[in-house]
Amino acid sequence: MYVAITGLALGKPFVVHIRDLIRSEAIGSAAALLMRRLVLPRAAGVIANSRASLDTVKDAVRTDNIAVIPSPAGLNPVAVESVNTRPRVDRIGMVARIDPWKGQEQVLRAFAQACATGDQTLVFYGGPAFGHETFDRELRDLARNLGIADRVEFAGHTSDVAGAIETLDVCIQASTRAEPLGQNVLQYLSAGKPTIVSGEGGPVEWVTDHKNGLVFTPRDVASLSAAIVKFVEDRPLRQRLAENAARTPGLRTDERVGDEVLAVLHKAASA
């Protein structure tokens, strides 16, 4: 936003990159108002990381130099022929920072229901977001209270996201409010993993239920639990949806993302 205000002051064209839902609950009421009233109407270009993000601002945009381009996520899509799910599900997990709205609590509860009598392990890759260390401790306490502490692994922050995802048999995105994109979802699909996502926001622009993943009802633990059970019990389903995950149209390397962003910038500069 500061760059946009500087551009306005200097009379220079600027491009706005929308990477969140421009709503009060997501970015604060003051920031949302400034974006809609001051910044977006004067932008020479707008890039949104999803149609969901764009939909929250399109009525404030005046330029036709608009593009929906997912954020770079280090994707290196696997070949469909190399996708081979393991005979059984051992590790179910999520790659996301530890943060209440990312949904780790509902994943814990759903796993406890879905795998109550099994020996699967639930894995959380990601450290607590700043200020959420207490939530991390609450999750560990909840795992103990649910009787599954010995089957829950808090793996912490990792710089090797692809390697972390490779260790998982089922991957979950379960944010409790709509994700603008769901970068971890793109990483799961690109790796050819059986993927479960919440049915709102950016993730459902990429995942179609029973086509290239499973979609559960947002904020519904029972629905998420049922999706986990489907993947645990049905290897042919896992294999088919994992292969289709790798076939998902529009998965982009960072190089391609950069080229598409540059095209918007060039158009803005030449306007």
Side-chain angles (χ1 to χ4, degrees):
M1 187 176 298
Y2 295 116
V3 173
I5 292 172
T6 301
L8 287 170
L10 296 176
K12 301 291 186 181
F14 61 88
V15 172
V16 178
H17 195 171
I18 303 296
R19 299 187 64 210
D20 206 340
L21 305 181
I22 307 304
R23 296 173 178 163
S24 298
E25 62 269 24
I27 66 171
S29 55
L33 185 64
L34 279 172
M35 286 290 289
R36 298 179 62 83
R37 296 285 181 84
L38 178 65
V39 175
L40 287 164
R42 296 167 176 80
V46 173
I47 299 169
N49 63 355
S50 67
R51 291 190 299 275
S53 294
L54 182 61
D55 284 346
T56 65
V57 302
K58 62 184 180 183
D59 60 328
V61 175
R62 301 292 175 262
T63 180
D64 62 357
N65 184 19
I66 302 169
V68 175
I69 306 170
S71 302
L75 303 188
N76 184 22
V78 300
V80 175
E81 298 76 19
S82 69
V83 174
N84 185 28
T85 56
R86 299 178 182 101
R88 53 162 282 154
V89 171
D90 290 316
R91 291 168 64 83
I92 299 166
M94 171 190 288
V95 180
R97 68 182 182 272
I98 302 297
D99 189 311
W101 82 271
K102 288 296 183 179
Q104 284 89 359
E105 179 181 343
Q106 69 174 342
V107 172
L108 266 174
R109 294 184 183 280
F111 175 80
Q113 290 181 17
C115 302
T117 60
D119 58 358
Q120 293 83 7
T121 297
L122 176 63
V123 187
F124 292 121
Y125 283 104
F130 180 74
H132 289 302
E133 293 79 9
T134 299
F135 181 60
D136 181 79
R137 293 193 293 271
E138 290 172 355
L139 290 173
R140 295 169 190 266
D141 289 342
L142 177 60
R144 284 191 289 271
N145 292 337
L146 292 171
I148 56 172
D150 60 335
R151 295 196 289 130
V152 179
E153 178 183 336
F154 290 88
H157 173 77
T158 179
S159 57
D160 182 12
V161 173
I165 290 172
E166 181 54 34
T167 71
L168 301 176
D169 299 306
V170 173
C171 297
I172 300 174
Q173 175 272 329
S175 298
T176 58
R177 65 173 172 84
E179 281 277 2
L181 172 63
Q183 191 165 298
N184 55 353
V185 173
L186 304 190
Q187 293 163 334
Y188 300 158
L189 297 173
S190 178
K193 290 292 181 176
T195 298
I196 300 172
V197 305
S198 178
E200 62 183 353
V204 289
E205 295 176 24
W206 294 92
V207 177
T208 300
D209 192 38
H210 282 82
K211 181 176 181 182
N212 64 337
L214 297 178
V215 179
F216 73 95
T217 304
R219 295 166 292 281
D220 187 326
V221 170
S223 179
L224 174 55
S225 176
I228 294 172
V229 169
K230 283 183 181 179
F231 271 149
V232 168
E233 294 183 346
D234 192 338
R235 189 190 181 189
L237 178 69
R238 293 200 308 275
Q239 181 66 29
R240 176 172 65 84
L241 298 192
E243 291 175 1
N244 287 345
R247 292 188 180 98
T248 301
L251 294 174
R252 298 158 166 85
T253 63
D254 289 355
E255 181 179 12
R256 181 178 165 192
V257 169
D259 289 342
E260 293 182 15
V261 169
L262 279 174
V264 177
L265 297 178
H266 287 316
K267 185 174 180 179
S270 61

